[in-house]
Amino acid sequence: MAVYNDLNRILKRESNGSVTVNVPNLGEYILPNKVNKDKLFKSILPIYVEVNRGAVHIGSRDLPIILVADFSGMKVLYTTENASSIYDYYMTVLNVNLIKPVVNIRSNADHINYRKNDINNYLNNKKSFSEKVKYIFTLKFLFKSNKKNKNSSTENNIKKTTWTGLPRYQNNYKGNDNKDEKSEYARVSTLITADELILSMYTDVPGPVPPLNSEYFEESQKNLPEWRIDIKLFSSQINYGPWTDRNRTLLQYFFYPLSFRDMEIVRPPISGQLRVAPAMKLFIVFEEKTTFRVPTKEPSKDNLWRNKNENDIKKTKKDKSNEQSVRPYAWLNVNFNEGSHIYYELPSFILEDGYEGKLDVNLINVQVTTSIDYATFLHGSQLKINATIPAPLEWNKKRTMPFDIQLLETKIYLINDHIQLITDLIADWSDMEPIENEYFVPTIYDINITFKEFSILLCINECNIIDQLNDLEQNSYLILSGDILDVNVNLPFTVFNPIYTCIPFKVSSKNSPLTLGISLPKSHTIGANINKESTIAGTIKNFELEGDYSFHSVYNPEYIDSMNLNIMASDISFKIFGYLIKYFMFIADNYFGSYGSFTTVSEYREKLNSKHHENNINTNPINAFDMNILIQGENIEAYLPESLYTYKDYITVKTKLLEVEIRGTDQFQDIQINTNPVMIFNKNCSNDFLYIDDLAIYGHRMFGPMPYKLVYGSDWRFNIGSVIGEVHPSYIISIYNFLETFLYHFDDFDNSILEIPVLNDFMSLQLMIKKIDLSIWGKGSTTIVYLKNGFNLQLDNTINVHYCNRIFLDFPYIGIYLLTLADNNKEVESSFPWTEVASIDTNISLCIYLKSSNWKEFYDKQTSYIRQQDRLTKRMTFIYENIENDNYDGSNVDENEKIFGYVPVLVPPFRVTKQGYKETNSNKQNFELLPIFIQIPISDSISASLNSYENKNENESNEYYEFRLKYL
């Protein structure tokens, strides 16, 4: 009955009094270091053991794997020393020195699953039923041995004399690998290799707690017993990845299973009870250089290997023999130098809030390399990790684990392949057997990463062609640098098996300025001529980013994953060189666009020679994705350089507020830019200015089907408010010099790889200016250009039988006034009176139509391209819906391509002609001569000078003349 009560108490976790150890009343307190305790035990110490070669394995027949540690030599010393304080009796010390240790995870040959396989194999043989039953119940399958030829008895005797140990301890042992294990191509069985491993364990034999009124009590609470394990690794390599972690969990929970029950409170001992070490401390020190490798699978490349295997079926055996049959795994190496250490502390006491374990990692001179390019991906002088691992009393209570990571003097060479590798690593690590709801523990991981004195290099090579990643003499980089950058990521795993998860994050410079620079190789014409001052592209004094990433754990065509970014910056200054704008476009291509994976020069040439490299890609369906970005900038200055390579003469553009909103989906992208007011100054003309009270830019781009998402339609609209300014002619020359320099750098013909392709998409543009009031000052004269109602520009590239491009210009009112000072006041520009010497009041409406002799070819390409890309959304049917002999069946759409979200229909700024294509036999010139019709109202002041024209209108106050011009 007593046994039953004890089991009942244990299962119900009922308290059975204090868990501390009581000692008899000692009367007057005596310091433990003066007591000779355990004389017999200490008399047989020290104990020294030396082993030339050995191995240790940890496992069970119930586990599919075992942990095997073999070594070339071992020295063990067990002794006693003085206690760490006078309040304990003595300290036991265990020193273990292993020479050439190798720790492996191997398949378990004695695993009971394999024995079951032997039973099944025997039962499938042609034996009688009685023989099968006898085989099972006599347990012969447990002692099964292979039959050997009688003639091989001599060879067996020779092998017995040269026995080298059980196969499981040997490095070439493969075990009985099953098919599931073979599918783990990222399996690295070797866990640790080192030249030497020294393990030291220090344990104080505690004395009693002094009486509360004793003079020793307070001091004893400051010098608590020691329980510490020190491990030193010399020239070691550690392999630990998702596969190793899954097997570690298997071993750990087998020998130390979780109770899934609430913990009991364990308080510190009181007077008269034996002292207890406050925590178990583990200290790992790495001597000499160490490599920590994280092997992982690459789910993102499964389709490429699947396509490769499909192509291999067609190859001959001779071709296959020359290729690698096993898929290589990806890896991430963390190299660090001597002096690095890991410290872990596990408390002994459990209070009302449970307990908190502490983890501190300090790595010196960190270098991270990857399997992508074998070059250094990250370099830092020091890496610090501080983590707190809480354990509440309630075993399934929600808990938050904070991780504080610091990287000092960090330089990161970042390409999109690195981001994809980290994503694959996270996906592989989370790919484990699902747990049941009864065992789920809600956990929040609060990760804070701080970069100090950092530089992030973004590769901006065209087409993402990289031969050597870290070579600054071969590659072009945009460099983001600063003194501090703080990144916070919150991982809320608080719901069991969630379909939808939202991960918030935040990035802040903490009022520390950020600098954006550019690095170009000397072989680059701009890099060879640009000065050092021009390599600084811009600065941001304060930067903050808040966002969240939401995703679904399963695929569903109706599910939409999303990312929201809210970017706030202030005190921004940047230079607008043409090549900088072009390289920002390369960032979009290399990190978010069609050149996401880098290629070498030879690989790029092979792609150019391959005709079907895009059509053979087989991709799995993924959830739709939305991207929402909101950018707010305050106190912005932009500098417009007038020269090619120097930052000497420039135009300054200032604005108080800039707002940019971007929404991108798999089908379209919307861009809205607003700013007001805008002031434009010239460095060399301090009194000149242009003032724009409002500026709004709207862009809408349409994408084709996945996975390429090609742009096949775009609509851009520019709305500019009132433009007021007073400038000198030199100011206009400066603007012209900037535009000429900008276009030259943007084209960058000397360094470009690709020619500008002929686009078959649709593009429309509308530019509206509300009002223009511009004064151009000269010496003693001024010219006033006044557009009371501004002007409107519209154009598009619709191709039909009548035209290939069309441009509309409308000036509702144009006023030009020429003023000069009176003769006696010419020396003072601001004096009065001014005399008007000439003026023009008119308006202009201009229509320009362009047509090429190859219009039919252009028309066929445009309609075919747009119709193919528009087959899912039907947003641009006005381009191709009236085509004669149209046999295209738009209803034949793949089930995975169907779109369930909202997709807006394109509304052009003006009506597009819906005239179908008709064959014509007329022979056209290269470009036809098309008329341009201009209507100009002539004011009364100059109508008298036009009396010679025969087509003068009878109405003298409002006369119109039509000019018929020819466009070549």
Side-chain angles (χ1 to χ4, degrees):
M1 190 65 181
V3 176
Y4 173 79
N5 292 333
D6 289 341
L7 289 174
N8 188 43
R9 177 184 58 82
I10 294 173
L11 292 176
K12 291 185 177 181
R13 304 296 293 175
E14 295 178 353
S15 178
N16 189 24
S18 176
V19 297
T20 57
V21 179
N22 291 310
V23 296
N25 186 9
L26 299 178
E28 183 181 357
Y29 179 77
I30 301 175
L31 289 175
N33 68 329
K34 296 181 179 180
V35 178
N36 192 0
K37 184 179 177 60
D38 299 332
K39 295 181 181 179
L40 178 62
F41 172 72
K42 290 191 290 185
S43 64
I44 63 174
L45 299 179
I47 299 175
Y48 178 78
V49 178
E50 184 172 351
V51 179
N52 291 330
R53 183 177 179 85
V56 178
H57 85 275
I58 302 174
S60 170
R61 199 178 69 173
D62 297 321
L63 291 174
I65 51 98
I66 56 175
L67 187 68
V68 179
D70 60 84
F71 43 86
S72 300
M74 180 176 70
K75 298 177 182 179
V76 181
L77 176 64
Y78 185 61
T79 185
T80 60
E81 295 180 357
N82 293 330
S84 59
S85 69
I86 61 176
Y87 306 100
D88 299 312
Y89 294 108
Y90 59 91
M91 174 184 288
T92 61
V93 180
L94 174 65
N95 290 322
V96 180
N97 189 355
L98 300 178
I99 308 300
K100 299 291 184 181
V102 178
V103 181
N104 294 282
I105 297 178
R106 300 192 183 281
S107 300
N108 189 359
D110 299 327
H111 185 33
I112 194 169
N113 284 344
Y114 299 138
R115 301 299 95 192
K116 292 179 180 179
N117 291 335
D118 292 339
I119 298 175
N120 295 329
N121 293 334
Y122 186 85
L123 294 177
N124 292 330
N125 293 335
K126 294 181 179 180
K127 300 288 184 179
S128 64
F129 178 77
S130 60
E131 291 177 341
K132 294 179 180 179
V133 173
K134 183 179 179 181
Y135 177 80
I136 296 174
F137 284 96
T138 55
L139 304 179
K140 288 186 177 181
F141 63 91
L142 294 178
F143 310 99
K144 182 181 178 181
S145 59
N146 296 326
K147 294 183 178 180
K148 298 183 179 181
N149 195 334
K150 295 180 180 181
N151 297 331
S152 62
S153 59
T154 305
E155 298 178 0
N156 291 338
N157 294 331
I158 296 175
K159 291 181 179 179
K160 289 180 180 179
T161 58
T162 58
W163 186 77
T164 58
L166 295 175
R168 69 188 63 169
Y169 300 116
Q170 300 175 8
N171 292 329
N172 58 356
Y173 174 69
K174 297 182 179 180
N176 297 325
D177 296 346
N178 53 33
K179 294 182 179 179
D180 294 335
E181 292 175 338
K182 290 183 178 179
S183 64
E184 289 277 0
Y185 61 90
R187 177 182 60 179
V188 178
S189 60
T190 302
L191 183 59
I192 299 175
T193 59
D195 290 345
E196 186 178 3
L197 184 149
I198 300 176
L199 184 148
S200 301
M201 184 168 68
Y202 306 91
T203 307
D204 278 331
V205 177
V209 178
L212 189 60
N213 57 357
S214 171
E215 59 179 331
Y216 302 110
F217 181 79
E218 291 184 2
E219 189 68 23
S220 67
Q221 300 304 308
K222 298 178 183 178
N223 299 279
L224 297 174
E226 190 77 16
W227 182 19
R228 188 177 82 251
I229 300 175
D230 294 346
I231 299 176
K232 288 186 179 181
L233 290 168
F234 296 82
S235 300
S236 60
Q237 176 167 344
I238 303 172
N239 301 310
Y240 193 91
W243 178 84
T244 309
D245 188 65
R246 286 190 282 269
N247 286 278
R248 187 270 311 164
T249 304
L250 194 65
L251 284 169
Q252 177 181 341
Y253 290 165
F254 181 83
F255 291 102
Y256 299 97
L258 299 175
S259 63
F260 300 106
R261 296 182 182 275
D262 296 343
M263 295 185 295
E264 293 183 355
I265 295 179
V266 180
R267 301 186 185 278
I270 60 177
S271 297
Q273 297 178 343
L274 288 180
R275 286 157 42 96
V276 178
M280 189 276 290
K281 302 175 182 179
L282 175 63
F283 195 73
I284 303 175
V285 179
F286 299 95
E287 302 289 347
E288 303 177 0
K289 191 171 183 180
T290 304
T291 300
F292 186 93
R293 168 167 287 193
V294 183
T296 178
K297 296 187 292 186
E298 294 182 287
S300 62
K301 296 183 179 180
D302 288 346
N303 292 320
L304 297 177
W305 279 89
R306 188 182 300 112
N307 296 330
K308 180 179 179 298
N309 294 334
E310 292 175 358
N311 296 331
D312 288 345
I313 298 175
K314 303 177 182 180
K315 294 182 179 181
T316 62
K317 293 182 178 181
K318 183 177 180 180
D319 296 332
K320 292 181 181 180
S321 61
N322 297 328
E323 296 183 358
Q324 190 175 9
S325 58
V326 179
R327 178 176 176 178
Y329 62 85
W331 49 264
L332 186 145
N333 278 0
V334 181
N335 305 305
F336 43 90
N337 286 354
E338 182 179 357
S340 304
H341 67 266
I342 299 175
Y343 174 77
Y344 178 70
E345 183 178 297
L346 180 64
S348 301
F349 307 125
I350 303 175
L351 304 179
E352 286 78 2
D353 296 331
Y355 67 88
E356 291 185 348
K358 294 182 179 179
L359 174 66
D360 294 330
V361 179
N362 188 4
L363 306 182
I364 307 299
N365 194 18
V366 179
Q367 283 190 339
V368 180
T369 58
T370 67
S371 58
I372 296 173
D373 45 38
Y374 298 90
T376 301
F377 155 60
L378 181 147
H379 178 269
S381 62
Q382 192 173 11
L383 169 64
K384 297 180 180 180
I385 302 176
N386 299 318
T388 301
I389 305 174
L393 285 179
E394 299 178 18
W395 72 271
N396 59 350
K397 184 179 179 180
K398 184 172 70 173
R399 63 206 66 190
T400 300
M401 293 188 182
F403 287 82
D404 187 11
I405 304 173
Q406 293 186 16
L407 281 162
L408 308 182
E409 299 179 4
T410 308
K411 181 178 287 187
I412 302 174
Y413 294 87
L414 182 65
I415 60 176
N416 187 59
D417 299 78
H418 293 141
I419 301 174
Q420 191 60 59
L421 175 62
I422 296 174
T423 304
D424 289 337
L425 176 60
I426 296 173
D428 189 13
W429 219 301
S430 60
D431 184 18
M432 60 181 64
E433 291 293 332
I435 62 174
E436 299 180 5
N437 189 20
E438 292 80 3
Y439 306 129
F440 175 71
V441 178
T443 306
I444 299 175
Y445 297 92
D446 188 13
I447 303 174
N448 190 79
I449 306 174
T450 302
F451 298 93
K452 294 183 178 180
E453 300 179 12
F454 70 94
S455 296
I456 302 175
L457 289 80
L458 304 176
C459 188
I460 50 177
N461 288 358
E462 189 171 3
C463 302
N464 211 1
I465 301 174
I466 305 174
D467 270 347
Q468 183 63 37
L469 178 64
N470 296 0
D471 194 349
L472 296 177
E473 296 299 326
Q474 295 186 15
N475 305 303
S476 302
Y477 292 97
L478 279 177
I479 305 174
L480 179 66
S481 58
D483 294 332
I484 186 170
L485 187 69
D486 188 76
V487 181
N488 180 264
V489 181
N490 191 274
L491 305 177
F493 299 108
T494 57
V495 180
F496 172 74
N497 196 18
I499 297 179
Y500 174 83
T501 304
C502 180
I503 299 177
F505 54 87
K506 183 178 180 180
V507 180
S508 174
S509 64
K510 293 186 175 181
N511 297 323
S512 177
L514 301 178
T515 302
L516 181 64
I518 187 170
S519 173
L520 300 174
K522 296 300 181 182
S523 58
H524 199 288
T525 56
I526 299 176
N529 295 281
I530 194 173
N531 60 7
K532 184 177 181 180
E533 186 180 7
S534 299
T535 59
I536 305 300
T539 58
I540 302 175
K541 289 188 177 180
N542 189 18
F543 175 84
E544 288 187 3
L545 182 151
E546 293 184 3
D548 60 78
Y549 173 59
S550 303
F551 63 93
H552 297 80
S553 58
V554 296
Y555 166 73
N556 189 314
E558 298 184 7
Y559 289 164
I560 299 177
D561 300 340
S562 64
M563 178 176 287
N564 301 310
L565 300 178
N566 188 359
I567 303 173
M568 294 166 286
S570 62
D571 299 329
I572 307 169
S573 63
F574 58 93
K575 306 181 182 79
I576 303 181
F577 283 102
Y579 58 82
L580 285 176
I581 305 301
K582 186 173 183 179
Y583 286 141
F584 273 113
M585 297 171 62
F586 287 165
I587 288 181
D589 291 337
N590 294 350
Y591 291 86
F592 309 102
S594 55
Y595 298 104
S597 296
F598 86 98
T599 58
T600 61
V601 175
S602 58
E603 291 173 344
Y604 181 75
R605 289 172 178 170
E606 292 178 1
K607 287 184 178 180
L608 292 179
N609 297 329
S610 176
K611 297 181 179 180
H612 305 287
H613 63 277
E614 290 185 352
N615 298 329
N616 293 334
I617 296 179
N618 180 21
T619 59
N620 294 326
I622 58 176
N623 292 329
F625 183 76
D626 281 6
M627 171 75 80
N628 300 295
I629 303 175
L630 179 62
I631 304 174
Q632 293 179 335
E634 297 179 356
N635 301 328
I636 302 173
E637 292 187 7
Y639 306 109
L640 316 181
E642 299 180 37
S643 57
L644 288 175
Y645 306 110
T646 60
Y647 180 62
K648 183 178 180 181
D649 299 323
Y650 56 87
I651 300 171
T652 304
V653 180
K654 291 185 178 181
T655 183
K656 285 291 185 181
L657 180 64
L658 174 67
E659 294 181 338
V660 180
E661 186 175 359
I662 302 174
R663 186 198 175 187
T665 69
D666 294 334
Q667 291 79 36
F668 67 92
Q669 181 187 66
D670 283 335
I671 303 174
Q672 180 72 42
I673 302 175
N674 296 92
T675 180
N676 56 45
V678 179
M679 295 290 292
I680 305 176
F681 303 95
N682 191 347
K683 176 185 176 183
N684 298 324
C685 302
S686 58
N687 295 327
D688 292 6
F689 73 93
L690 277 179
Y691 175 84
I692 303 175
D693 64 351
D694 187 28
L695 173 63
I697 302 174
Y698 169 75
H700 180 77
R701 305 171 69 210
M702 293 174 289
F703 304 138
M706 297 286 286
Y708 303 110
K709 298 198 303 183
L710 301 179
V711 178
Y712 68 92
S714 59
D715 178 26
W716 294 94
R717 305 187 185 188
F718 298 80
N719 293 321
I720 303 176
S722 299
V723 179
I724 302 172
E726 295 183 2
V727 300
H728 286 79
S730 60
Y731 185 93
I732 301 175
I733 295 175
S734 297
I735 293 179
Y736 174 80
N737 291 338
F738 161 72
L739 293 176
E740 188 178 25
T741 301
F742 180 87
L743 295 176
Y744 176 80
H745 278 318
F746 186 81
D747 183 38
D748 198 13
F749 176 79
D750 296 330
N751 306 291
S752 297
I753 296 176
L754 297 177
E755 296 181 358
I756 299 177
V758 178
L759 301 178
N760 298 315
D761 60 338
F762 171 83
M763 190 275 292
S764 65
L765 182 144
Q766 183 181 43
L767 172 63
M768 297 180 63
I769 298 181
K770 182 179 179 181
K771 176 184 175 182
I772 295 179
D773 188 356
L774 180 64
S775 299
I776 304 174
W777 292 87
K779 188 174 182 181
S781 65
T782 182
T783 301
I784 299 177
V785 179
Y786 182 61
L787 278 65
K788 183 172 68 173
N789 298 320
F791 75 90
N792 184 14
L793 167 67
Q794 298 180 2
L795 60 88
D796 75 346
N797 64 341
T798 307
I799 303 175
N800 54 37
V801 67
H802 299 292
Y803 53 83
C804 296
N805 299 88
R806 56 180 175 176
I807 305 172
F808 297 157
L809 270 172
D810 184 25
F811 295 85
Y813 176 84
I814 299 177
I816 301 176
Y817 308 98
L818 305 180
L819 305 178
T820 185
L821 287 171
D823 292 340
N824 57 349
N825 289 323
K826 284 185 178 180
E827 295 181 357
V828 183
E829 294 184 7
S830 60
S831 301
F832 290 93
W834 289 92
T835 302
E836 180 179 321
V837 296
S839 65
I840 298 177
D841 297 308
T842 184
N843 63 28
I844 297 177
S845 295
L846 179 65
C847 304
I848 303 175
Y849 295 87
L850 304 179
K851 186 175 181 181
S852 171
S853 61
N854 299 325
W855 70 270
K856 180 186 174 230
E857 179 184 353
F858 297 153
Y859 176 82
D860 292 338
K861 289 182 178 180
Q862 186 185 61
T863 54
S864 176
Y865 174 75
I866 294 177
R867 180 179 58 184
Q868 174 65 22
Q869 300 300 320
D870 195 48
R871 68 181 187 272
L872 301 180
T873 57
K874 306 295 183 182
R875 290 173 286 179
M876 293 185 61
T877 56
F878 56 82
I879 296 293
Y880 58 84
E881 66 181 354
N882 292 326
I883 299 177
E884 296 180 0
N885 300 324
D886 186 7
N887 297 323
Y888 176 74
D889 184 10
S891 62
N892 187 17
V893 177
D894 190 352
E895 191 70 23
N896 294 328
E897 292 183 331
K898 288 186 177 181
I899 299 171
F900 294 87
Y902 168 74
V903 180
V905 178
L906 176 66
V907 180
F910 50 89
R911 185 180 178 185
V912 180
T913 304
K914 297 182 179 181
Q915 178 157 354
Y917 160 72
K918 293 182 180 180
E919 183 70 35
T920 59
N921 297 324
S922 58
N923 295 327
K924 307 289 184 180
Q925 299 179 9
N926 186 23
F927 277 94
E928 291 187 351
L929 297 177
L930 297 177
I932 300 177
F933 298 98
I934 307 176
Q935 288 186 334
I936 306 177
I938 307 300
S939 63
D940 296 337
S941 59
I942 60 173
S943 61
S945 62
L946 300 177
N947 292 331
S948 59
Y949 284 89
E950 297 179 354
N951 57 347
K952 180 179 179 182
N953 193 295
E954 295 181 356
N955 187 359
E956 293 288 336
S957 63
N958 192 15
E959 301 176 358
Y960 287 83
Y961 294 86
E962 181 177 274
F963 296 88
R964 186 179 181 89
L965 306 179
K966 297 293 184 179
Y967 179 81
L968 180 58

